[in-house]
Amino acid sequence: MNWPTELEVEHKLAQMRGWLEQQRAGGIRLRGADWFAWATAGASNSQNPMSPCGGAELLVTRDGAYILSDEAEAPCLREDALHGPWTWQVSPWMPPQLHELREHFVQHAAGGAPVLSDLPRLHECGLPTSMREERLVLLQAEQQRYRHLGQLVASAASEALRMARPDWTERELAAACVRALWLRGLQEVHILALGAQRQPLYRRAPASGTTLGARAVLAVCARRHGLCASLSRQVRFEHAGQILRHGHNITKNGVKNGANNGIDNGNYIDNGSNSAAPGSTGNGATGAIIDHSSVAHDDATLLALEAVALDACVAGNALSMVYHALDSAYAYAGHPDTALRHRQGGIQGYLAPEVMASAHTEITLKRGMAAALHPSLPCGMVEDTFLIDGDHLRNLTYDPAWPSTLIQGRRRPLTLVLG
């Protein structure tokens, strides 16, 4: 059901009041930018994407819903046109008065009963794990916003990489991506840009002044309406050595077509999902069938690894099962213990990640959750954000204009060759 925003907020308020009944608490106080966005259907309480909390809080009681802000932050927040039955409580911005007035109001509104909080302070209780897990299952309206976000992130990353040159520095590629994100109304959460020299050495590192050289990888996580979408893409510069030696221009749109490089640029199928397709092998976790004659060896190795993990992302499986599947795939490929040395992603949503995949994360995957895994090898990395739809995965960051191949019935990105 595609709910209007007001109905989504009302649904979440009822959900929180159910939590109050379960915990016999007087109020739920939400400070984090993630919880603020969730409860308000996508509004923001922070102008800084790196800050865990912002200048406003939410307080939900059995019979009230309040936005707690100060005189400095409230005018900007009001421009967001927050939907729902919120009552504004605005205090002076100066710390002594702000703290005293706000704390007095919270205790009075909660009727002296315990107050639950995502970021608990003195005399407050943390949110139970069950509440945090309920947030991971996205409503249809949230899923729709997520799909739109994923398309924008994929478009921004593609734009930045198609503009790139081998004589660019990693920082120039990162800056091009930031610009593309902001022009689309997105906030960057993190951006990784690595060239040929540093990519084999680091899986996660800040962009540097090093020249890209023969190849580049770009990993992006961006936020809109509170939701976070992640992906990674790679490019190879065909004439990098000549360009770096002589400073020749390269063709920004110089993509080798499928007839020349063997890349399958077939029709867009089911938004990149794992529905049945010719040549696919279903959902078996025994390994992907890849035509090695048409896909570069590095891409084939990396995508075969990823396919094992994606096959395990099925509603009803524990997240730890996904981790163990990927860990076994690394060992089979001759890279044991890689999962121990590098993060592999996990459940995604209003944080990136919401829950990190590990050997001991026993949370059960459910329909409506999102997952973003980023397996990596010295030859590169691959990542997209998927929505779990039973035993299907819907690729939220699929880009039909990017070269791809079918693996286990899913469209997966290949290295883009620029002339």
Side-chain angles (χ1 to χ4, degrees):
M1 179 179 180
N2 185 15
W3 289 350
T5 304
E6 292 83 357
L7 187 56
E8 179 183 343
V9 173
E10 289 281 8
H11 174 84
K12 290 176 176 176
L13 288 174
Q15 192 173 359
M16 286 186 278
R17 287 172 178 138
W19 298 343
L20 289 176
E21 291 290 338
Q22 294 171 14
Q23 300 297 317
R24 297 181 180 179
I28 294 178
R29 189 174 186 177
L30 303 176
R31 295 185 174 93
D34 54 334
W35 278 100
F36 191 97
W38 173 82
T40 58
S44 174
N45 67 340
S46 176
Q47 303 305 312
N48 180 2
M50 302 306 294
S51 175
C53 56
E57 307 173 18
L58 300 177
L59 176 67
V60 177
T61 65
R62 297 170 190 268
D63 55 5
Y66 306 95
I67 297 173
L68 312 179
S69 185
D70 61 57
E71 292 173 341
E73 298 287 344
C76 183
L77 283 169
R78 289 181 188 275
E79 288 185 4
D80 262 355
L82 277 73
H83 299 276
W86 301 104
T87 300
W88 287 81
Q89 290 293 325
V90 181
S91 307
W93 68 266
M94 291 177 287
Q97 293 172 284
L98 173 64
H99 176 77
E100 292 173 8
L101 291 173
R102 185 171 294 183
E103 295 307 311
H104 181 269
F105 175 82
V106 169
Q107 293 303 317
H108 176 75
V115 174
L116 307 177
S117 178
D118 60 319
L119 297 172
R121 295 177 183 170
L122 191 63
H123 306 308
E124 295 175 344
C125 304
L127 297 179
T129 301
S130 59
M131 297 182 189
R132 295 180 179 274
E133 291 186 6
E134 280 190 51
R135 190 184 81 175
L136 303 180
V137 179
L138 303 173
L139 302 173
Q140 287 294 327
E142 293 172 302
Q143 295 176 25
Q144 183 176 354
R145 292 196 293 272
Y146 221 156
R147 284 192 289 270
H148 187 216
L149 165 63
Q151 293 167 6
L152 292 175
V153 176
S155 172
S158 177
E159 177 181 308
L161 283 169
R162 290 179 187 275
M163 292 173 57
R165 297 170 45 101
D167 55 355
W168 274 19
T169 66
E170 294 172 350
R171 289 178 186 143
E172 285 178 295
L173 176 56
C177 186
V178 171
R179 181 179 187 275
L181 292 173
W182 276 88
L183 288 175
R184 289 164 173 78
L186 310 180
Q187 285 184 321
E188 74 277 12
V189 177
H190 68 252
I191 294 177
L192 177 150
L194 293 172
Q197 179 179 336
R198 298 177 76 235
Q199 195 277 321
L201 303 176
Y202 307 105
R203 305 295 170 86
R204 298 281 164 179
S208 73
T210 306
T211 300
L212 295 178
R215 60 187 299 131
V217 59
L218 180 66
V220 183
C221 180
R223 177 187 287 119
R224 190 181 191 191
H225 301 309
L227 293 164
C228 301
S230 303
L231 61 81
S232 69
R233 301 286 185 265
Q234 300 187 127
V235 296
R236 178 167 59 83
F237 302 104
E238 192 172 34
H239 305 297
Q242 180 182 359
I243 294 166
L244 290 170
R245 284 193 302 272
H246 304 293
H248 293 169
N249 290 328
I250 65 171
T251 304
K252 291 183 178 180
N253 296 316
V255 183
K256 298 181 73 176
N257 62 41
N260 292 331
N261 63 11
I263 291 175
D264 179 1
N265 281 317
N267 294 329
Y268 171 46
I269 297 178
D270 194 23
N271 197 29
S273 74
N274 64 347
S275 57
S280 69
T281 60
N283 291 325
T286 57
I289 302 300
I290 302 176
D291 181 0
H292 287 263
S293 65
S294 64
V295 178
H297 178 269
D298 288 350
D299 280 344
T301 302
L302 191 58
L303 294 176
L305 270 174
E306 184 204 38
V308 175
L310 293 181
D311 284 344
C313 285
V314 176
N317 282 354
L319 184 57
S320 59
M321 292 178 62
V322 180
Y323 174 88
H324 287 301
L326 188 51
D327 187 40
S328 298
Y330 277 122
Y332 183 81
H335 299 272
D337 298 329
T338 298
L340 295 176
R341 294 192 294 268
H342 306 286
R343 298 181 180 91
Q344 302 300 314
I347 298 173
Q348 195 105 325
Y350 288 91
L351 291 174
E354 294 267 17
V355 183
M356 183 72 71
S358 76
H360 306 291
T361 44
E362 296 304 319
I363 182 173
T364 301
L365 299 177
K366 297 178 182 177
R367 184 187 297 268
M369 288 183 177
L373 305 173
H374 44 80
S376 60
L377 291 171
C379 64
M381 66 180 65
V382 62
E383 180 177 16
D384 275 295
T385 302
F386 292 90
L387 182 70
I388 299 173
D389 186 6
D391 59 351
H392 292 273
L393 294 176
R394 308 293 176 182
N395 191 344
L396 301 176
T397 48
Y398 174 73
D399 183 356
W402 192 268
S404 65
T405 190
L406 272 173
I407 299 180
Q408 304 292 72
R410 305 180 195 94
R411 287 262 165 215
R412 303 307 301 126
L414 297 172
T415 298
L416 174 66
V417 180
L418 295 175

